[in-house]
Amino acid sequence: MDFDPDRRNFLAAACAVAAGLCLPRGAQAAAPPRTPLSRPLEQLRSQYSTLVIGSGYGGSVMAARLAGGGPLALFERGREWLPQDFPDTGGAVVRELRSDAAPLGLFDYRSGSDLDALVGNGLGGTSLINANVVIAPDRDVFGAWPAAIRDAYQSGAMDVHEQRVRAMLAVETAGASLRKQQMHASTTARRRRAGASVDFRRLDLAVNLSRYAGTANAEGVVQTSCRLCGDCVSGCRTGAKNTLDVNYLRAAARGGAEIYTRIEVGFVERAGGLWRVHYVARPAGAPPRRGSVLAARVVVAAGALGSSQILLRSAAMGLVLPAALGTRVSANGDFLGLGYNSAVQTDTVGFGEGSPRFDQRQVGPTITGAAQYAAAHPAQRFLIEEGAWPRALADALRVLMPATASAPDVPAGQRELRDIAGLRANGALNHSMVYLGIGHDSAGGRIALDATGQARIRWPGLPAEPFVARMREEMRRHAAEFGASLVESPRAHPVFGAALTTVHPLGGCPMGADAGSGVVDADGRVFDPRGGVHAGLYVTDGAVIPASLGVNPLLTIAALAERMAARMTA
Amino acid sequence: MNAVLRRLFALLLCCAAGTPHARGLLFDEEMRGHGYWDGELRTLHFVLDVRIPDIDRWRASPAHPAQVSGSLRLDAAAPQTLAGTLEILAPAPNQDGRVLVYRLTAANWRFLGAKLVRNDGGFDLIDDVTTLHGVLLPRTAAWPSVGSLVDDGQWSSEVQFEWWRPSIVLAFLDSFATIDTPWYEVPWVKYVFIDTTFGAVAGEFLFDLL
C-alpha cells in the first residue's frame, strides 16, 4: 500500500496550520447556546471496553445504546460544530472542503474516476450537511441481504427499530405551502396523467419545524424552530436541524460515553485479546500527534468510505479480512439534476440568516417531497426529490448558470438578466428546481486506496447503468412541464470526466452470509476468512449495506445500528 | 396653471355640448401564466374587459377603481365568466409604490391579484406593470390583504401581460375606446386616463431620480 508515514507526517503538520486558517467565521447567529459534547484530548484513556469510530448515524446510535456498559469512547475525525459556525458564504464553503491541507473541513468531497461522493466531516457526521430525510425502504429490496435482515424487514421486526429512530430524531413533515413542493407535486401530477406510474409524497424530516420553539428538546438541547431558509445542506445556523449532536450523541454522553473529536483513525490491529486502534489527533492549537488506544470491542462506523478505508488500511497492515472488502459499493442510484429557468417561481434559493427578499417567499427545508415512481420490479423504482440551493452557493450560481443554457423566450432571458444583475430574487435560479434522484444501481462499484491512502470509488460503466437514463428522462420531462431545461452536474460532462455524484455512498464492507460473500454478518461482526469472526470487531454504518436502498438511507443505517446494539446488549 | 387650463378647456367643451356626459373609457387586457388551485399549478388565461364609466370620478378616487368583466380559463377547461373590480395604480400598502389590484369573482372561486409598481430593483417598470401576482381562492373565502401579496409574497399565481408579443400589445392598444363620450371629448378622456396613469408611474420612477 502506498501510505507513506513521512508523507503523512508532512501533511499532518501542514494540516495543523491550514486548519487554523480555515476555521469559519465567528459567532453571528442567534442560535441558542449549546454545551459542547467533546472532551479535551488530555482526558483520553489508554484502554476502553468499547471504542466507536465515527459519529454518523451508525456510530451515534451505537454509542448511545452501548454507553453505560463499561468505559466507552467515540472518535470523530472532524471537529464539533456549533450552529453559528457553519459556513454561509461561497468562500467559507470552499474553505471547508476537506483536503490534506484542511483535514477538518466540513465537506468531504471525494472525487473518483467514475463516481464522486460527498459526505460530512464533523461530530454528527453527514447529519450536519444532509437534508435529513427519514424514509423507510420498500420491504422487498433486501434480496441481496443476509436472510436474518431480510426476514426482520419482511416480518415487521425492524419496524420497532425504525420507530425508535424516528422518535429519537423527532421527525416532522413540512407543510404544503412551499412553492418548490407545489411545483414538484404539480409536475408529478402531470406526469401521472401522461401515463407514468408516479405519485407525489411529502417526506418525513429530522428537522425541528414546530416541536420546540426556543425550548429544550428531549435531550435538553434548546432548539429554535426552522426558519425555512433552505440552508440545511451547508449546516443549519439556527440549530433547527435534528442533527445527531442534539439527540443520539447527547444520549451517549449522558450515558457516560467519552466523545473526542479531531481524531482520525488510521487502522486497527490485533493486540492479544484486544484491539489496538491507531490514530492521528489534531488538537486545536497544537501540532498533530499520533497515538493508539486499546479496546475490547471496536465498532467501525466511519461511513462507507471511512470504514472501508480503515479496514483496507488494516488489511494492508496485516489484518486478515474477507476478499469482499471494498466491494458491493453503491451510489444508492443517486442522480442529480437541475430543472433550470422554468416559467414558475419556485423559491429554491436559500436566504440564510436574513429575511426572504421581498420578491421571494420562504424556501423550506432542503427537501420536503418526492415523486415516487412505482414498478413491479424493485430495481426499476425510484424517487425524484425536490431540493434547494443553500445561500452560500447562490451568488455564484446566479452568475454561472446563464452560461449553461440558452433562454427559450423573452421572459426566460429576463430572468437570467435579473440573476446576473443580482438586484432581485425572482431570477432564473429561483425559477428552477433542484432534483435529487434516488433509485437502484448494481452496487458494482469498488473502493480502493489511492496513493495517499484515501479511499476512492472506481466504477467503470456506471453512467451506462439503466437507472441513469431512466431518471434523466423523467427529470427532463418534469422540467419541461413548465418550460425549464434539464442541466446536469458539470462532472457528468465528458470534458469534466463524465462522472456521477452520490451523496449516499453505500457498501464497501457489505453484509453477507459468510466470508465468501460479505465482510460482516447480519450483526455487524467482521468475518475472519480463516473461520468465524474477528471477535470484538464490528462495522455498523452505510458501509455494511450491500445494495442500493432506493431511498435516503439514514433511517435504514440507524435502524440497523439499533438492531445490532440490541443484539450486542441482549 | 396647467390644471386650471385643463378645467377651463373641459368646461368650454361641456358648455358647447349642452348635455352632460359620464365620459368613460374601456379597454381589454389579456394575461397568461400559472396559478395554484386544487392542489396543483394550473395554466391561467385571463381575458378581461376593463370599464371606467366616469373618468372624472375614477380620477378623483385615490384607488382609481374600474369595473371588470371577462373570463378565466384554467388548463384546458372551458373559460369561466368572472366579474369584479380593478384598482388602477392605487397607493400601495404602507404608501410604498402603486398597485393595480384585481378582485375577481366567478361561480366557484375568487381571485385577488396585484401588480406592484415600485422603484425597487433597477428599471423594471415593464415587469412591474405587466406581472400580476395573486391567489385563487374558494368563492366563500375571505379576501386576503393586498399587503400579503405585495409585501409578504404570499401569492401562488403569477400571470403576465405578454408585452413581448406584438399581437398582444396591438390588441391592447386597439381596444381602448370611450363610453358615452361626445366625439369632441374623446381626446380629453384619453388624455385624463394617460395623464393619471403615467403621472402615477412617473411619480414612482422619475421623481426619485430628480
Side-chain angles (χ1 to χ4, degrees):
Chain A
M1 184 182 69
D2 296 319
F3 192 55
D4 180 4
D6 291 337
R7 179 180 169 82
R8 285 186 305 185
N9 286 336
F10 170 75
L11 291 174
C15 287
V17 177
L21 294 174
C22 291
L23 291 177
R25 298 186 307 176
Q28 293 177 351
R34 289 181 182 173
T35 306
L37 285 164
S38 52
R39 299 184 177 212
L41 287 177
E42 290 70 27
Q43 293 182 15
L44 187 63
R45 308 184 211 185
S46 61
Q47 186 173 331
Y48 290 90
S49 295
T50 302
L51 179 66
V52 177
I53 303 169
S55 62
Y57 290 98
S60 293
V61 171
M62 295 301 278
R65 300 307 179 208
L66 300 180
L72 182 149
L74 179 145
F75 285 179
E76 164 55 46
R77 64 181 178 157
R79 69 185 185 94
E80 185 167 3
W81 288 83
L82 297 176
Q84 60 268 24
D85 293 339
F86 286 113
D88 66 342
T89 65
V93 166
V94 171
R95 287 194 294 277
E96 288 301 336
L97 286 172
R98 187 174 188 272
S99 65
D100 288 345
L104 301 177
L106 176 61
F107 306 99
D108 187 1
Y109 190 91
R110 304 274 183 107
S111 59
S113 55
D114 316 287
L115 178 65
D116 298 348
L118 173 65
V119 294
N121 184 39
L123 189 63
T126 299
S127 77
L128 301 175
I129 61 163
N130 68 358
N132 300 75
V133 176
V134 181
I135 179 172
D138 293 335
R139 274 18 188 177
D140 59 355
V141 301
F142 295 93
W145 293 59
I149 300 298
R150 192 165 57 242
D151 293 346
Y153 272 103
Q154 289 179 346
S155 69
M158 286 302 293
D159 294 357
V160 176
H161 302 301
E162 287 184 340
Q163 286 304 321
R164 208 168 184 199
V165 175
R166 287 176 179 275
M168 285 293 288
L169 297 182
V171 168
E172 296 185 59
T173 307
S177 63
L178 301 168
R179 286 200 179 113
K180 64 188 174 78
Q181 192 187 95
Q182 293 177 346
M183 174 72 156
H184 203 40
S186 301
T187 55
T188 303
R190 289 182 173 209
R191 292 298 305 131
R192 186 173 63 248
R193 284 197 292 273
S197 182
V198 60
D199 278 302
F200 180 79
R201 64 178 289 185
R202 289 196 285 153
L203 297 168
D204 290 341
L205 308 173
V207 176
N208 177 40
L209 294 165
S210 61
R211 199 174 299 221
Y212 307 107
T215 55
N217 71 7
E219 291 297 331
V221 179
V222 175
Q223 286 188 269
T224 51
S225 52
C226 176
R227 299 176 57 252
L228 308 178
C229 74
D231 279 9
C232 302
V233 296
S234 57
C236 179
R237 288 171 62 86
T238 53
K241 270 176 58 168
N242 298 332
T243 49
L244 291 163
D245 54 338
V246 302
N247 39 65
Y248 274 108
L249 289 169
R250 296 279 159 181
R254 183 165 43 80
E258 299 175 15
I259 295 174
Y260 297 95
T261 57
R262 299 165 173 262
I263 296 182
E264 182 173 10
V265 170
F267 64 97
V268 299
E269 63 179 355
R270 263 289 179 201
L274 302 174
W275 292 96
R276 181 171 293 281
V277 177
H278 295 266
Y279 63 81
V280 175
R282 301 184 176 95
R289 65 172 186 255
R290 295 183 178 283
S292 67
V293 293
L294 292 167
R297 179 168 56 190
V298 172
V299 177
V300 183
L305 288 160
S307 294
S308 300
Q309 180 172 293
I310 290 169
L311 290 193
L312 285 165
R313 288 177 177 180
S314 302
M317 300 301 285
L319 185 64
V320 180
L321 292 168
L325 179 60
T327 66
R328 304 296 303 164
V329 174
S330 167
N332 204 28
D334 280 3
F335 184 76
L336 305 173
L338 172 67
Y340 182 63
N341 201 358
S342 77
V344 177
Q345 185 164 328
T346 53
D347 288 349
T348 51
V349 179
F351 53 84
E353 292 174 286
S355 300
R357 296 168 76 168
F358 74 89
D359 43 15
Q360 174 186 17
R361 207 163 53 176
Q362 282 138 332
V363 177
T366 295
I367 293 173
T368 66
Q372 186 170 28
Y373 286 80
H377 195 286
Q380 296 176 346
R381 299 174 196 153
F382 61 97
L383 302 174
I384 296 179
E385 299 177 347
E386 39 82 356
W389 296 108
R391 196 194 77 83
L393 301 180
D395 289 341
L397 288 167
R398 279 195 193 101
V399 175
L400 293 174
M401 286 307 302
T404 69
S406 57
D409 54 28
V410 171
Q414 269 193 299
R415 291 190 290 270
E416 292 184 4
L417 289 174
R418 280 187 211 129
D419 272 351
I420 294 168
L423 295 173
R424 297 184 64 163
N426 60 350
L429 200 61
N430 240 341
H431 281 73
S432 304
M433 290 294 289
V434 181
Y435 294 127
L436 169 60
I438 302 176
H440 292 280
D441 55 40
S442 66
R446 190 175 189 96
I447 293 176
L449 299 179
D450 66 14
T452 66
Q454 298 294 312
R456 306 278 176 188
I457 302 172
R458 295 173 185 163
W459 196 340
L462 172 62
E465 295 231 348
F467 81 92
V468 175
R470 199 177 290 135
M471 289 185 192
R472 177 182 286 132
E473 179 57 19
E474 274 305 308
M475 286 183 188
R476 189 188 65 74
R477 290 172 183 266
H478 273 267
E481 291 290 352
F482 289 96
S485 54
L486 181 65
V487 179
E488 297 182 30
S489 159
R491 277 285 279 150
H493 195 279
V495 171
F496 298 105
L500 299 185
T501 301
T502 181
V503 290
H504 304 127
L506 301 172
C509 307
M511 272 189 189
D514 51 44
S517 60
V519 175
V520 301
D521 67 7
D523 294 332
R525 298 178 298 183
V526 176
F527 288 120
D528 184 341
R530 298 165 298 191
V533 296
H534 286 292
L537 183 61
Y538 298 80
V539 181
T540 313
D541 58 20
V544 307
I545 294 178
S548 55
L549 295 166
V551 295
N552 310 63
L554 80 82
L555 178 61
T556 305
I557 295 169
L560 286 170
E562 288 276 11
R563 179 184 181 276
M564 292 174 186
R567 292 177 65 83
M568 276 187 205
T569 55
Chain B
M1 179 62 76
N2 189 33
V4 173
L5 289 174
R6 280 184 297 187
R7 285 179 182 155
L8 183 59
F9 179 61
L11 183 62
L12 289 171
L13 289 175
C14 285
C15 292
T19 307
H21 295 274
R23 300 185 307 168
L25 187 76
L26 63 82
F27 60 91
D28 298 335
E29 186 178 26
E30 185 176 359
M31 292 181 286
R32 287 185 172 86
H34 305 94
Y36 192 71
W37 174 251
D38 196 20
E40 199 177 321
L41 281 165
R42 319 275 179 179
T43 57
L44 305 184
H45 182 193
F46 284 98
V47 178
L48 303 179
D49 175 52
V50 181
R51 184 173 292 259
I52 301 170
D54 184 331
I55 195 77
D56 294 313
R57 289 183 62 187
W58 172 81
R59 183 177 201 177
S61 169
H64 304 315
Q67 301 167 0
V68 179
S69 59
S71 67
L72 170 61
R73 182 175 190 149
L74 276 76
D75 288 337
Q80 290 192 42
T81 303
L82 56 79
T85 62
L86 165 62
E87 295 175 3
I88 302 174
L89 295 167
N94 305 318
Q95 302 299 312
D96 187 6
R98 299 276 181 155
V99 283
L100 292 98
V101 180
Y102 295 69
R103 288 187 179 85
L104 309 172
T105 303
N108 300 322
W109 46 258
R110 56 180 33 182
F111 175 85
L112 174 69
K115 296 173 182 172
L116 174 63
V117 182
R118 181 187 284 172
N119 190 7
D120 46 18
F123 189 76
D124 52 1
L125 172 61
I126 293 177
D127 282 344
D128 283 358
V129 297
T130 58
T131 306
L132 176 64
H133 289 133
V135 285
L136 273 167
L137 302 162
R139 185 185 167 92
T140 55
W143 291 111
S145 69
V146 175
S148 69
L149 302 181
V150 299
D151 291 330
D152 303 334
Q154 299 301 316
W155 49 266
S156 55
S157 301
E158 184 177 55
V159 294
Q160 276 196 299
F161 173 80
E162 297 171 323
W163 58 265
W164 59 93
R165 297 189 195 282
S167 60
I168 295 286
V169 176
L170 287 173
F172 174 70
L173 294 175
D174 192 47
S175 71
F176 276 83
T178 52
I179 310 167
D180 196 18
T181 305
W183 63 268
Y184 48 83
E185 289 193 86
V186 167
W188 172 247
V189 169
K190 292 186 176 179
Y191 169 77
V192 169
F193 180 79
I194 291 170
D195 181 53
T196 306
T197 52
F198 274 61
V201 170
E204 289 304 318
F205 283 86
L206 301 181
F207 292 167
D208 286 352
L209 300 176
L210 299 176

